[in-house]
Amino acid sequence: MDLFSTVALGDLTLPNRLVMAPLTRTRAGAEGIPNELLVEHYSQRASLGLLVSEGTYPSHESRSYPGQPGLVTDEQQEGWRKVAEGVHAAGGRIVVQVMHGGRVSHTDITGTDRIVAPSAIAVSGEAHTPLGKKPYPVPHALTAAEIDDVVADFVAASRRAVDAGIDGVEIHSANGYLLHEFLAPGANQRTDEYGGSPENRARLTVRVAQAVAAEIGAGRVGVRISPAHNIQDAWEKDPADVEATYTHLVEQLQPLGLAYLSVLHAEPSGEFVQGLRKHFGGPLMVNTGFAQVTTREEATGYLADGVADVVAVGRAVMANPDLLARWQGGHPENALDATTSYGTGPEGYTDYPFLPETRA
């Protein structure tokens, strides 16, 4: 496989195998409405095979960051419509990552009277709220009936995305947020059908994937996981349990015929990730970005060696909106300025320079 060859992910046909990884960047304002900055940001990067948006909240209670976009209101849906139109006009394809932040939040961010999680266990550390840093509060442990509402929220947000013209959704079950919290024994101390065994802890992600696929079509749906990521106190430190949990998860996803499975892991060529790929049976997207910055040589190597079908890249795409052309032509890359990654304006978001020939 070649990085610059076409590939089918479910209902999507990509002109190349380079994907923009989801990147939290907090530019959507206090109301979470995608604005012209987001339209420009995503449209600038439309030459990539696929763009995955930053995590987008499906309910007010699920919001994790000030400035994070949502898919709850008509105004937010209309904002995503403008993003979709801009990306499509530039020849691109985009899916929205639907993300419930779970306990990684604060009521000063959500504007609600609680935050929620599998169990009443707070995350260590502090949340960045509009009123400054504050300790993460002890979350409310979701009841079974409230879990049904969470599933319905994912479905409703996914429907809004597709109705806005977005090409599909990626279900966020990684990085220590709600669905990952259910998967991780360090965050999930439940004793009902959603806790305890690997099968029970995987149940919510499976339910969400099934329901969203039924609503918008499986060929428009991807799922992102980060096994043993051990981030934001979603501890998964028993290798045998990790293998059992994620093997069961992907075996349950396999019959759905989803567009892709995205795995964030430091060793995508290892037996564990490749075993998940076999059990999933569909296209595999790999992303090593949390462990290291993915280089052109690594990305092309994963594809040449048959490790994955597509490769998701984050920081290099952030700093190089025309990364595809730079990698195709062997051109030097802009360096990322990490101090401007998060913010409210264009600096570090839409002002990275293009190669002269790609800008033209």
Side-chain angles (χ1 to χ4, degrees):
M1 291 180 283
D2 180 84
L3 185 64
F4 309 111
S5 62
T6 61
V7 63
L9 300 184
D11 292 349
L12 298 177
T13 299
L14 280 53
N16 60 77
R17 296 168 187 259
L18 183 58
V19 174
M20 177 178 171
L23 297 159
T24 299
R25 289 298 177 256
T26 66
R27 260 68 171 199
E31 301 302 320
I33 300 171
N35 51 40
E36 291 305 315
L37 265 181
L38 273 74
V39 173
E40 183 178 3
H41 172 75
Y42 288 113
S43 299
Q44 284 179 341
R45 291 156 177 81
S47 62
L48 276 69
L50 179 66
L51 309 177
V52 182
S53 84
E54 67 185 287
T56 300
Y57 59 89
S59 66
H60 294 295
E61 197 170 70
S62 65
R63 188 176 192 174
S64 275
Y65 302 103
Q68 180 187 8
L71 260 171
V72 183
T73 69
D74 291 345
E75 292 79 11
Q76 290 168 344
Q77 181 176 332
E78 182 59 27
W80 280 115
R81 181 185 306 281
K82 294 176 182 176
V83 172
E85 289 172 349
V87 170
H88 293 157
R93 294 136 299 278
I94 183 170
V95 299
V96 165
Q97 186 188 68
V98 184
M99 168 188 149
H100 193 306
R103 64 184 183 164
V104 185
S105 190
H106 194 281
T107 53
D108 287 350
I109 298 170
T110 64
T112 61
D113 60 3
R114 66 181 190 178
I115 60 168
V116 300
S119 303
I121 305 170
V123 186
S124 59
E126 295 178 313
H128 293 265
T129 82
L131 303 177
K133 291 184 179 181
K134 293 189 178 183
Y136 287 109
V138 176
H140 164 74
L142 288 162
T143 67
E146 290 167 342
I147 288 173
D148 291 342
D149 293 337
V150 168
V151 176
D153 289 338
F154 270 91
V155 171
S158 300
R159 168 48 60 191
R160 281 188 178 275
V162 171
D163 287 350
I166 296 291
D167 297 300
V169 302
E170 179 177 283
I171 296 167
H172 198 358
S173 186
N175 297 48
Y177 299 112
L178 184 71
L179 300 189
H180 193 190
E181 292 165 14
F182 271 86
L183 288 164
N188 183 349
Q189 299 294 311
R190 301 175 71 94
T191 58
D192 65 358
E193 68 268 33
Y194 292 97
S197 69
E199 293 79 10
N200 284 353
R201 284 183 277 114
R203 191 181 307 277
L204 179 55
T205 297
V206 173
R207 280 195 62 195
V208 170
Q210 290 171 334
V212 172
E215 177 68 23
I216 67 170
R220 293 176 176 263
V221 181
V223 173
R224 183 171 175 87
I225 57 175
S226 59
H229 196 180
N230 292 314
I231 189 173
Q232 300 187 135
D233 294 1
W235 305 120
E236 298 172 304
K237 296 190 174 182
D238 179 349
D241 182 81
V242 171
E243 183 165 5
T245 301
Y246 285 91
T247 298
H248 176 76
L249 171 62
V250 297
E251 286 177 341
Q252 295 301 300
L253 297 179
Q254 186 275 331
L256 301 180
L258 300 179
Y260 65 87
L261 176 70
S262 177
V263 181
L264 176 64
H265 198 274
E267 299 179 359
S269 60
E271 291 184 7
F272 173 64
V273 173
Q274 292 303 304
L276 295 181
R277 182 188 194 184
K278 180 179 178 181
H279 289 293
F280 178 66
L284 175 68
M285 181 186 301
V286 299
N287 185 189
T288 62
F290 266 77
Q292 61 193 31
V293 176
T294 304
T295 65
R296 182 187 189 279
E297 291 70 29
E298 288 164 337
T300 54
Y302 291 142
L303 293 169
D305 295 342
V307 170
D309 298 284
V310 290
V311 178
V313 178
R315 281 163 283 191
V317 174
M318 189 70 195
N320 298 273
D322 55 355
L323 186 67
L324 181 73
R326 291 176 187 266
W327 280 10
Q328 281 180 314
H331 301 289
E333 298 175 32
N334 301 320
L336 179 72
D337 180 359
T339 65
T340 61
S341 291
Y342 304 98
T344 58
E347 186 180 9
Y349 192 63
T350 58
D351 63 349
Y352 280 104
F354 286 70
L355 293 168
E357 57 269 32
T358 59
R359 171 61 81 180

